[in-house]
């Protein structure tokens, strides 16, 4: 089959213009160090890589690498192992060249021999493949002395580039063997890769440094990076919002009216929002109020708060007196009666004053807790009542902000 | 210029055509032009580094050369930027391109006499542009500071460069060009396009800022970075002829680098007044950029694998390896800048300066030095000058790492200081700004010192270039580079147009349109909005005196800027020329300077401009006593009127 026929066949099979097929095939052949025919035959699905490469490869490669001419290379006979490659290709419905590469890569990863992998895929016994491989191993060994001259003369000849296909690091020793017969494409490489798993290769690498860099393949971690990196970027672009959410990475909200940066809930920046109710509840427990008035405010040795009694004594608007009562207790109370109903001081026994132990805010928080939880007043009303609203407690801080900010429109 | 006549004399007899045609195509001009590029660019390197060192020194010792207008921080900083980017890197890489492309393709340089003439034009226009900034006549900021009248000649010379390179490549009797030439043919065209975007009539407000930022990013990413990589591929393939590159990695690298870098323009707008989507782009494309740079470096490293002993002994390869190490850092640092939590701390700090030093003073400079050394050294066996180059390389590398490292640490410290001040209930303006100035002085000193060391090494390199340029080198046979990665010239041409067009559309045109808005109430109320007013004159001075390099006018909606007043939006800049929002906060933000005391008083500002340390003893600000009375008044009125 002539080259043009092959191209035409491949073009038809792949639905691409012949010129493009030719170019791609050349590039691929160069990159993988294969014969052009081998690539084309592969693509065309013609199962004649051996015959065509045997017939035409010598001219083809001799042209590209004149060094090969001086060495009349022994033509490789179609070896047994190729049979298994094709069987595997058949079984897995993949091109033969891909099988070779994948098998080599797999063998590398699993630290098995190339033959084992191939046998697995082809569905035959390992020993058969091994036998076929060994049969080919012998004749290649003798011309192995002359590799160095063959390579140094020209830049990446297909021969040097051949190293590229044995994927990773271990190509140097096997390459020495393939060198004298650059056209020995398929069979030689196959068994060479098989041998490449032997551990002494690093030493060989040092012996022949001029071969090491020659178009080595892309390491696996790198190819992974090229897929994972852009994939992450695309996922980020697709699923994450443009711009951080308020609160992330120091992001603040912007007040729509003033244009000033504010907290995410719309309150002025830097304002501390205190949950007075929780604070009051905690203090109510901690300072023993529950002991006399009951954990639920139902009373005990002290009067009950529930059932409207609390707000009867200290109605809305009289939180100040309520707070004062907690501060002073029965002993410190200056009057004889207290509250709106003029209750007798000491009528229920002695209540201690908490003014020495609690701050004003804490006293107010206790009052708020009692009024909201037991008296039924709304939280906002209680906060207002007890003077703990935004413009009360935090007033000076907000004023600070206003001073330094622009006179906003 | 004795060597010029010598070379011409020897070359003349071999050249067949006589007369004008013979003169234009005389290859001696080409070789002279290339050496001329190296000599002139080395001079710019020395000038640029000296100015950069002086600028950082002035932050530590503001009294230094305080009396001379030419040496005020706001002028020497942009002069240093332009000297390094347009003088040193652009002219140097142009010379490398003119050398590498013909040799890679095995043809003589087209119209060598034009190359020589073009060098003179390029050098004169660049020197003129830098000088004009020093004289306080520039009209832009950042890399856009090159004034309009220098733009024409510069664009013309860049266009000629691109034309010469392409003409040479078209002459080559080859259907495809190797990877190094992809970069070296594409990059000059990208330089033309990027510079043209920056030189186009400025838009006002945020669209103008987007335009300027895109232009700067493209000049660095598509021209300097691409040409550096091309020079690197050329260098490695020539010095290690048996090295073979991996076709796929090369392709991935080329397209990723060219495609992604300009899309990172949005880094300059994190938390700024542009659309959020524009600020997301650098995060997405930053990953692609990292992939591209990793691919390129892996390709080069794998080609050199097993030969590290050779690399260490070979001057140019050693320089290039050091440069590549820093080059690999650049996308990582850029990604840090673009991530929002990172940018919330380091934006507007010295961190940006550190990144600039890593890229421009470190990575690109070392790689350009390597390629120049190779060109001057071509075909001298044994890597002549190895010792000198190794010393230069290690010094530049070490100095850059210390200078950039100290700036980046200083940046982090600045950002965290502002945060602490804000969380303490204060605002980082006025005396509360002091900790972020005083606290990093030690680090600034380290930067200044290490930049001085880099300057010394660069001077040594320039001397080496000078000596080598006049040494006669053997004429070499043109030898084309074998490469597994080839493409047709047409494909490269399509990539040039397509990649730039798509990048410009997404990273310049759409964000600029998106950010175009009518003036806000604040902009209307600012004194400078009336054209020709005193405040308007003050605003021009604000740009030409380089106030923008130390003061921002941008309040961001993040914790660091909380309590600084109304958050800036695009409408606030509607009347402002590009660059006014500023680059760095070496001094406090001035967005609402006119709404707080004492900066709302023109008189106070005026006194502060004349003697900055009278009211603020800790200040790094230089004195502007060299301005005339009218100018001082205009500038004071402008700043005190910023609402």
């Amino acid at each position: 089959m002539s080259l043009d026929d092959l191209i035409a066949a491949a073009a038809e099979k792949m639905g691409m213009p012949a010129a493009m097929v030719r170019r791609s095939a050349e590039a691929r052949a160069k990159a993988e160090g294969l014969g052009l025919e081998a690539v084309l035959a592969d693509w065309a699905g013609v199962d004649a890589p051996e015959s065509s490469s045997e017939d035409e490869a010598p001219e083809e490669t001799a042209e590209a690498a004149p060094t090969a001419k001086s060495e009349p290379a022994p033509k490789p006979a179609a070896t047994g192992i190729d049979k298994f490659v094709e069987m595997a290709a058949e079984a897995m419905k993949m091109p033969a060249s891909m099988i070779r590469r994948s098998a080599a890569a797999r063998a590398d990863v699993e630290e098995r021999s190339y033959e084992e992998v191939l046998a697995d895929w082809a569905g035959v016994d390992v020993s058969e493949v091994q036998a076929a491989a060994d049969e080919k191993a012998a004749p290649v060994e003798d011309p192995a002395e002359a590799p160095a001259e063959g390579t140094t003369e020209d830049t990446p000849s297909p021969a040097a580039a051949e190293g590229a296909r044995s994927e990773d690091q271990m190509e140097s020793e096997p390459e020495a063997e393939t060198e004298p017969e650059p056209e020995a494409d398929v069979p030689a490489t196959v068994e060479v890769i098989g041998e490449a798993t032997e551990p002494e290769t690093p030493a060989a690498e040092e012996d022949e440094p001029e071969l090491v860099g020659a178009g080595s393949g892309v390491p696996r971690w790198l190819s992974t990076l090229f897929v994972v990196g852009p994939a992450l970027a695309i996922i980020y672009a697709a699923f994450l919002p443009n711009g951080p959410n308020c609160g992330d990475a120091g992001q603040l909200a912007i007040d729509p009216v003033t244009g000033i940066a504010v907290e995410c809930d719309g309150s002025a920046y830097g304002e501390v929002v205190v949950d007075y109710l929780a604070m009051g509840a905690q203090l109510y427990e901690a300072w023993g109020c529950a002991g006399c008035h009951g954990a639920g405010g139902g009373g005990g040795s002290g009067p009950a708060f529930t059932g409207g009694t609390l707000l009867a004594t200290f109605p809305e608007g009289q939180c100040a007196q309520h707070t004062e009562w907690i501060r002073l207790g029965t002993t410190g109370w200056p009057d004889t009666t207290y509250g709106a109903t003029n209750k007798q001081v000491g009528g229920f026994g002695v209540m201690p004053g908490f003014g020495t132990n609690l701050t004003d805010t804490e006293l107010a928080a206790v009052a708020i807790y009692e009024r909201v939880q037991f008296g039924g007043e709304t939280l906002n009303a209680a906060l207002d009542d007890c003077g703990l609203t935004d413009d009360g407690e935090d007033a000076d801080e907000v004023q600070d902000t206003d001073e330094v900010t622009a006179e906003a429109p | 210029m004795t060597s010029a006549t010598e070379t011409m004399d020897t070359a003349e007899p071999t050249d067949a055509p006589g007369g004008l045609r013979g003169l234009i195509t005389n290859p001696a001009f080409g070789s002279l032009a290339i050496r001329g590029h190296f000599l002139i660019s080395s001079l710019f390197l020395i000038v640029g580094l000296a100015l950069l060192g002086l600028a950082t020194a002035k932050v530590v010792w503001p009294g230094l050369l305080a009396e001379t207008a030419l040496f005020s921080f706001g002028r020497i900083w942009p002069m240093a930027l332009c000297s390094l980017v347009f003088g040193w890197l652009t002219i140097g890489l142009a010379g490398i391109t003119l050398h590498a492309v013909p040799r890679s393709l095995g043809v003589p340089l087209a119209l060598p006499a034009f190359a020589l003439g073009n060098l003179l034009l390029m050098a004169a226009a660049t020197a003129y542009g830098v000088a004009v900034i020093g004289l306080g006549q520039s009209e832009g900021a950042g890399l856009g500071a090159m004034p309009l009248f220098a733009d024409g000649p510069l664009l013309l010379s860049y266009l000629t460069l691109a034309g010469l390179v392409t003409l040479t490549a078209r002459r080559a009797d080859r259907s495809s060009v190797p990877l190094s030439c992809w970069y070296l043919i594409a990059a000059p065209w990208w330089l033309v396009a990027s510079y043209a975007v920056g030189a186009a009539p400025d838009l006002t407000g945020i669209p103008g800022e987007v335009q300027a930022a895109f232009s700067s990013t493209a000049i660095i990413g598509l021209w300097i970075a691409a040409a550096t990589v091309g020079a690197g591929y050329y260098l490695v393939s020539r010095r290690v002829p048996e090295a073979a590159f991996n076709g796929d990695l090369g392709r991935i690298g080329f397209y990723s680098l060219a495609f992604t870098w300009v899309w990172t323009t949005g880094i300059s707008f994190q938390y700024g007044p542009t659309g959020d989507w524009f600020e997301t782009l650098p995060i997405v494309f930053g990953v692609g950029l990292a992939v591209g740079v990793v691919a390129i470096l892996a390709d080069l490293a794998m080609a050199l694998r097993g030969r590290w002993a050779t690399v260490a002994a070979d001057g140019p390869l050693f320089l290039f390896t050091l440069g590549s190490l820093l080059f690999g850092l650049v996308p990582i640092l850029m990604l840090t800048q673009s991530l929002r939590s990172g940018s919330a701390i380091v934006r507007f700090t010295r961190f940006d300066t550190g990144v600039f030093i890593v890229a421009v003073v470190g990575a690109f400079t070392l790689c350009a030095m390597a390629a120049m050394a190779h060109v001057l050294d071509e075909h001298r066996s044994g890597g002549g000058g190895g010792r000198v180059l190794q010393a230069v390389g290690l010094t530049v590398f070490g100095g850059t790492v210390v200078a950039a490292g100290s700036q980046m640490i200083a940046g982090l410290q600045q950002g965290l200081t502002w945060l602490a001040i804000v969380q303490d209930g204060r605002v980082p303006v006025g005396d509360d700004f002091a900790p972020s100035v005083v606290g990093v002085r030690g680090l600034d000193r380290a930067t200044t010192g290490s930049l001085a060391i880099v300057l010394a090494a660069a001077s040594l390199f320039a001397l080496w270039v000078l000596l080598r340029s006049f040494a006669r080198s053997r004429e070499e046979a043109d030898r084309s580079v074998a490469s597994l990665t080839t493409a047709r010239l047409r494909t490269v041409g399509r990539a040039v147009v397509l990649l730039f067009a798509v990048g410009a559309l997404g990273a310049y045109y759409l964000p600029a349109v998106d950010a175009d808005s009518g003036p806000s109430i604040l902009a209307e109320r600012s004194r400078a909005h009336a054209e020709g007013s005193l405040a308007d004159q003050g605003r021009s001075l604000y740009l030409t005196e380089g106030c923008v390099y130390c003061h921002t006018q941008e309040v961001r909606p993040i914790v660091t800027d909380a309590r600084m007043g109304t958050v800036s939006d695009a409408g606030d800049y509607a009347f402002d020329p590009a660059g006014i929002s500023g680059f760095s906060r070496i001094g406090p933000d001035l967005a609402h300077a006119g709404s707080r005391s004492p900066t709302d008083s023109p008189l106070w500002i005026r006194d502060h401009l004349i003697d900055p340390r009278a009211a603020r003893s800790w200040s790094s600000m230089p004195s502007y006593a060299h301005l005339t009375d009218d100018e001082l008044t205009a500038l004071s009125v402008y700043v005190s009127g910023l609402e």
Side-chain angles (χ1 to χ4, degrees), chain B residues 564-587:
Chain B
M564 293 222 299
T566 313
V567 173
S568 305
D569 76 12
D572 296 349
Y573 303 94
F575 303 114
D576 291 328
I580 210 85
S581 74
F583 298 97
S584 182
R585 283 184 191 160
I586 296 175

Side-chain angles (χ1 to χ4, degrees), chain B residues 82-121:
Chain B
C82 288
S83 297
L84 288 174
V85 171
F86 293 111
W88 156 238
L89 289 172
T90 297
I91 297 181
L93 288 167
I96 294 163
T97 307
L98 289 173
H99 173 92
V101 170
R103 263 147 236 263
S104 305
L105 299 173
V107 287
L109 178 66
L111 307 176
F114 274 51
L116 187 59
N118 192 45
L119 164 66
L120 298 178
L121 177 66

Side-chain angles (χ1 to χ4, degrees), chain A:
Chain A
M1 203 181 237
S2 83
L3 194 60
D4 288 341
D5 288 343
L6 270 176
I7 291 175
E12 194 175 352
K13 178 118 182 181
M14 301 171 73
M16 278 159 66
M20 192 182 288
V21 169
R22 190 189 176 108
R23 247 185 298 139
S24 322
E26 278 169 3
R28 170 64 65 91
K30 227 174 176 181
E32 296 187 356
L34 287 169
L36 183 58
E37 288 76 11
V39 174
L40 281 170
D42 215 38
W43 288 358
V46 182
D47 60 352
E50 298 97 357
S51 64
S52 71
S53 63
E54 258 175 42
D55 294 341
E56 296 184 23
E59 290 100 272
E60 181 73 17
T61 40
E63 189 183 304
T67 49
K69 265 191 177 156
S70 56
E71 295 248 4
K75 276 183 198 171
T79 60
I81 200 159
D82 247 10
K83 197 170 72 202
F84 299 109
V85 171
E86 267 153 42
M87 282 169 73
E90 187 89 3
M92 301 178 73
K93 305 223 169 14
M94 277 158 71
S97 68
M98 195 178 285
I99 290 289
R100 277 182 213 113
R101 256 181 296 145
S102 319
R106 173 64 65 91
D108 229 28
V109 177
E110 299 184 354
E111 298 189 344
R112 294 197 288 166
S113 80
Y114 176 75
E115 287 81 6
E116 277 171 352
V117 176
L118 209 55
D120 242 23
W121 290 358
V124 293
D125 193 70
V126 192
S127 57
E128 282 180 60
V129 186
Q130 197 61 54
D134 291 344
E135 167 194 324
K136 191 64 190 89
V140 194
E141 254 151 38
D142 45 320
E145 295 93 60
E149 302 93 82
T151 43
T152 42
E153 271 196 51
D154 212 323
T155 3
S157 69
E162 182 123 16
R165 42 188 325 254
S166 41
E167 296 293 335
D168 281 321
Q169 53 297 107
M170 319 211 166
E171 69 274 49
S172 41
E173 196 196 336
E175 229 169 336
E177 289 175 318
T178 40
E179 232 49 74
E181 34 163 22
E183 78 282 27
D185 46 336
V186 180
T189 335
V190 163
E191 52 88 9
V192 151
I193 295 169
E195 286 182 10
T197 48
E198 280 162 32
E200 76 244 18
T201 32
E205 217 164 75
E206 280 166 23
D207 291 339
E208 294 174 26
E210 72 269 30
L211 293 178
V212 179
S216 348
V218 184
R220 200 168 319 243
W221 63 269
L222 206 51
S223 355
T224 316
L225 179 75
F226 292 146
V227 177
V228 173
L232 283 180
I234 290 168
I235 290 169
Y236 184 94
F239 293 105
L240 287 171
N242 280 321
N245 294 315
C246 191
D248 293 345
Q251 172 88 14
L252 296 172
I254 301 175
D255 187 304
V257 179
T258 61
I260 289 174
V262 291
E263 296 281 5
C264 296
D265 61 3
S267 55
Y269 174 75
E271 177 188 318
V272 185
V273 183
V274 181
D275 187 349
Y276 291 109
L277 205 58
M279 189 178 171
Q282 206 199 342
L283 292 168
Y284 186 81
E285 275 299 322
W287 288 95
C289 310
C292 300
H293 300 284
S301 56
F305 296 144
T306 46
T309 48
L310 181 85
L311 286 189
T313 313
F314 300 115
E316 267 187 63
Q318 291 191 16
C319 177
Q321 205 183 15
H322 184 176
T323 313
E324 204 59 18
W325 175 248
I326 303 171
R327 181 201 306 281
L328 299 174
T330 48
T331 44
W333 193 253
D335 225 335
T336 49
T337 59
Y338 70 97
T341 48
N342 288 325
K343 289 168 85 170
Q344 199 61 41
V345 174
F348 279 90
V350 178
M351 168 171 148
F354 294 89
T356 48
N357 294 317
L358 299 182
T359 65
D360 287 357
T361 314
E362 286 171 332
L363 288 170
V366 174
I368 287 168
Y369 174 69
E370 291 175 358
R371 298 173 77 82
V372 174
Q373 197 67 26
F374 310 131
E377 203 178 11
T378 63
L379 178 61
N380 281 344
L383 283 171
D384 239 7
D385 206 348
C386 305
L388 287 181
T389 39
D390 293 356
D391 39 319
E393 177 72 18
D394 297 306
D396 26 25
E397 203 164 338
V398 173
Q399 266 165 15
D400 264 351
T401 318
D402 283 345
E403 261 170 38
V404 294
T405 50
E407 322 140 57

